């Protein structure tokens, strides 16, 4: 513990020698402007300070010892002084202040003095002598002025105290030994004391030794160098709230009249809340706001750091790309609140399943990623992926009902599947995409074959983006054969791609790619304009006025410009709206039913015909069908294909046709390829049929020839 001098010392008070105390007292009284003296009962001087000796013309206080006032004043004046002092000794009462005139023995000028005398009494009550205090009253202001001066000083002192207490920071001043000379209430409160009680004490009286020693060392460095220490961050124990706070302190030396450093002035700002806010901002910048997992940016940094570590000591690790299956369906049917709850539960399950030493992050949407730096063996990674699938597929309680969702996982290994952060993520994403294509709810490791397929897919995407400009996309038409009039009354528009180098590219190969990348939207707009123009051209040629059908994908239906684009194409071409039929798959109607109903109602009001395509594939309920302004049902081709092989398919097909009829909807049988299927469609009173039994998809010129001939079709 520091001693009373403020620096390191002994805790034992005996360590401070009496001579040191005497020297200190001598120094203090010699600094006083008043003349102090002590006399025995007979009037002999036994002690005086420098001012007292100077007043009597002595060079030092020692010259007065043993002498009396008769050695310095005229006899009559010395007698009066001795008489007053004897009265003090006899009555043991202080003598009232007296005023007298005396010649200054040093300067020779006349001075007006005021003296008060007090009895000097020992512990036993015996009077030992007289203590005298003399001050020069000629230099003092008049009584009224003194009162005004004292009032002004009190006001200034109060103002100073108020000001330092209002400073929104800790403020204090210390001497060379670290003792408080002043501090505001903010400092005192933090030390568990008051500003008055803190005076003369050091930090060692309020803080743990190690903490106080640090403060003292910094202050001594400022005192020794004479240079300020600015914005130094320190930890301080707040006795008021009992917590450790972060304080930004500045310590500045102040100097006395002689120009030497006399102590330091310190200011401290509590930056605890600011630091917590900064940490929160940093956390938000690097973590996902919904799940509190590391976000894409932070994961990229961690992945790059893992690559650098492994490069230094040669090793490997794995990256697992986890994508939820059919999450959009949950989001659209149950709402975004349910979707968010599902994501949070999925994140929690991933944290529970993945070892604590590994990193789990959310990339955005329904995509998560796992960095395995310790689970590195392929067999271990394989087992971890299987556990993740089992954890994700467990039922989740959403809106008072149990829901299940699966995941598809792609796995990439460093360094075989990529040596950079971007390459590894691309490989894992490619493997995940393959897992989805192969049925979902499984995982796949990245392979060289997948790399080749990925490159092919990338090339195909680039080529597809230029296909419209290069006029490589074609529209073929599939006839809709009316079973009552035995004529072709409509045509379904089907997209084909004839690449100059690759030849005919199957729709199953490029349509999913167009849907995934969003290219289906501009392609669909192009198809819409083409079939509208083709309808008008055939009508002007005198051919039958056909109802032109166009299938809408989920991506197209979600396009906010869908309705305006359709109305614009009809207006520009001059095609009647009732000659356009838009086909929407059954699954699409089950997603976001509110928006779906609004969009379909707008199209219906415009006169456009609406058809449910592939009905029977997802078992849309009767109640849901009645929500939408539908004109036609198309029986799913898979049901028509199996009517000869499966009694269940036959019964279901008959039920669907009966349902459509009961709702006054036109019913079309899709995928009719045999005479037996055609006979079944007619027997069930279908309104029309489509399929290769009627015609194979044909280009516009070939389809026009079919219209001209108006083949009646099978009987």
């Amino acid at each position: 513990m520091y001693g009373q001098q403020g620096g390191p010392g002994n805790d034992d008070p005996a360590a401070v020698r009496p001579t040191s105390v005497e020297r200190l007292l001598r120094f203090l009284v010699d600094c006083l402007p008043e003349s102090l003296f002590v006399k025995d009962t007979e009037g002999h001087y036994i002690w005086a300070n420098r001012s007292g000796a100077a007043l009597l013309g002595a060079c030092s206080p020692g010259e007065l010892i043993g002498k009396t006032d008769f050695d310095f004043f005229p006899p009559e004046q010395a007698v009066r002084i001795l008489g007053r002092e004897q009265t003090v000794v006899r009555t043991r009462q202080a003598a009232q202040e007296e005023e007298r005139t005396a010649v200054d023995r040093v300067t020779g000028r006349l001075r007006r003095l005021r003296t008060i005398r007090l009895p000097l009494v020992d512990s036993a009550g015996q009077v030992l002598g007289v203590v005298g205090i003399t001050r020069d009253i000629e230099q003092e202001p008049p009584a009224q002025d003194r009162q005004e001066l004292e009032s002004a000083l009190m006001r200034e002192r109060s103002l100073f105290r108020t000001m330092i207490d209002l400073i929104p920071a800790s403020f204090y001043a210390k001497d060379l030994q670290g003792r408080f000379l002043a501090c505001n209430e903010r400092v005192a409160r933090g030390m568990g004391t008051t500003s008055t009680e803190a005076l003369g004490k050091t930090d060692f009286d309020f803080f743990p030794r190690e903490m106080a020693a640090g403060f003292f060392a910094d202050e001594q460095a400022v005192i020794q160098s004479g240079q300020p220490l600015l914005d130094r961050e320190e930890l301080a124990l707040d006795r008021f709230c009992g917590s450790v706070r972060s304080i930004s302190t500045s310590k500045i030396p102040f100097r006395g009249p002689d120009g030497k450093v006399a102590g330091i002035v310190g200011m401290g700002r509590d930056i605890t809340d600011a630091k917590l806010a900064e940490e929160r901002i940093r956390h938000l910048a690097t973590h996902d706001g919904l799940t509190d997992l590391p976000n894409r940016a932070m994961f990229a940094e961690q992945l790059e750091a893992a690559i650098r570590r492994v490069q230094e000591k040669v090793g490997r690790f794995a990256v697992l790309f986890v994508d939820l299956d059919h999450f959009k369906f949950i989001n659209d049917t149950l709402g975004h609140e349910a979707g968010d709850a599902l994501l949070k539960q999925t994140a929690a399950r991933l944290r529970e399943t993945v070892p604590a030493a590994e990193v789990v992050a959310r990339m955005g949407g329904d995509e998560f990623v796992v960095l395995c730096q310790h689970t590195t063996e392929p067999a271990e990674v394989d087992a971890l992926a299987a556990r993740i699938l089992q954890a994700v597929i467990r039922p989740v309680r959403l809106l008072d009902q149990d829901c299940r969702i699966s995941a598809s996982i792609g796995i990439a290994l460093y360094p075989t599947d990529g040596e950079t952060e971007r390459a590894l993520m691309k490989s894992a994403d490619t493997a995940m995409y393959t897992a989805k294509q192969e049925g979902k709810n499984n995982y796949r490791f990245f392979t060289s074959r997948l790399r080749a397929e990925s490159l092919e897919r990338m090339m195909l995407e680039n080529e597809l983006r230029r296909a419209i400009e290069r006029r490589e996309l074609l529209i073929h038409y599939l006839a809709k054969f009316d079973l009552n009039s035995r004529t072709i009354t409509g045509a379904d528009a089907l997209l084909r791609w004839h690449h100059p180098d690759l030849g005919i590219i199957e729709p199953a190969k490029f349509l999913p790619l167009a849907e995934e990348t969003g290219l289906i939207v501009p392609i669909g707009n192009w198809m819409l304009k083409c079939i509208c123009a083709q309808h008008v051209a055939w009508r002007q040629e005198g051919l039958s006025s056909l109802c032109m059908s166009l299938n809408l994908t989920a991506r197209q239906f979600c396009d906010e410009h869908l309705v305006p684009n359709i109305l614009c194409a009809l207006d520009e071409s001059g095609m009647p709206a009732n000659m356009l039929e838009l086909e929407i798959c059954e699954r699409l109607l089950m997603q976001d039913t509110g928006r779906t109903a609004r969009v379909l109602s707008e199209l219906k009001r415009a006169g456009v015909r609406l058809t449910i395509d592939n009905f029977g594939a997802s078992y849309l309920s009767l109640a849901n069908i009645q929500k939408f302004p539908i004109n036609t049902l198309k029986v799913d081709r898979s049901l028509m294909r199996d009517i000869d092989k499966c009694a269940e398919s036959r019964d279901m097909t008959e039920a669907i046709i009966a349902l459509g009829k009961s709702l006054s909807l036109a019913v079309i049988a899709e995928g009719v390829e045999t005479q037996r299927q055609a006979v079944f469609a007619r027997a069930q009173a279908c309104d029309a049929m489509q399929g290769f039994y009627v015609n194979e998809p044909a280009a516009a010129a070939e389809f026009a020839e079919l219209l001209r001939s108006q083949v009646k079709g099978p009987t």
Side-chain angles (χ1 to χ4, degrees), residues 312-381:
E312 293 173 358
K313 57 182 180 180
V314 184
R316 62 182 177 182
F317 59 83
V319 174
L320 283 67
F321 201 113
V322 183
D323 186 273
L324 302 184
D325 301 325
H326 304 305
F327 173 74
K328 188 176 185 302
F329 178 75
I330 294 289
N331 225 21
D332 291 342
T333 54
L334 299 182
H336 292 287
E337 184 177 347
D340 288 348
L342 175 61
L343 291 173
K344 291 170 70 173
Q345 291 198 41
T346 300
R349 291 181 180 182
L350 288 175
R351 280 193 293 253
E352 293 171 359
T353 306
V354 176
E358 315 296 11
V359 178
V360 179
R362 183 186 177 205
M363 303 301 285
D366 60 348
E367 296 176 341
F368 298 86
V369 65
V370 180
L371 172 59
C372 294
Q373 302 181 74
H374 304 86
T375 310
T376 57
E377 293 299 324
E380 295 176 336
V381 177

Side-chain angles (χ1 to χ4, degrees), residues 513-563:
L513 179 62
E515 177 74 0
E516 180 184 344
T517 59
L519 289 173
I520 194 67
V521 173
I523 290 174
N525 290 334
W526 171 80
M527 289 184 68
L528 178 64
K529 293 180 179 180
C530 285
I531 64 173
C532 289
Q534 187 64 70
H535 170 89
V536 173
W538 281 339
R539 188 181 62 191
Q540 290 175 347
E541 191 180 337
L543 298 177
S544 301
S545 184
L546 299 179
C547 182
M548 311 293 282
S549 297
L550 179 66
N551 189 280
L552 292 180
T553 69
R555 198 68 173 263
Q556 288 175 283
F557 193 77
C558 291
D559 179 26
E560 60 180 4
H561 302 295
L562 173 66
V563 175

Side-chain angles (χ1 to χ4, degrees), residues 226-281:
Q227 298 298 318
L229 181 65
L230 303 176
D231 296 325
R232 172 75 171 272
E233 185 175 336
E234 298 175 345
L235 294 178
L237 175 63
D238 190 326
R239 295 287 186 83
F240 182 72
C241 62
S243 63
V244 175
R245 312 288 290 179
S246 294
I247 309 296
S248 175
T249 64
S250 295
K251 297 179 173 67
I252 303 171
F254 71 86
R255 302 177 184 276
D258 57 359
K260 295 181 179 180
V261 175
I264 64 106
V265 172
M267 290 191 68
R269 292 182 298 107
D270 189 331
I271 58 173
T272 307
D273 293 339
K275 285 178 65 66
L276 291 175
E278 288 178 6
E279 291 174 5
R280 178 61 179 162
I281 291 172

Side-chain angles (χ1 to χ4, degrees), residues 640-665:
M640 291 298 299
R641 183 182 61 240
D642 294 337
I643 59 170
D644 294 334
K645 307 174 187 177
C646 178
E648 183 179 348
S649 293
R650 185 183 183 92
D651 293 343
M652 185 176 296
T653 303
E654 291 176 354
I656 289 173
I657 295 172
L659 171 64
K661 291 297 181 179
S662 69
L663 296 175
S664 301
L665 300 177

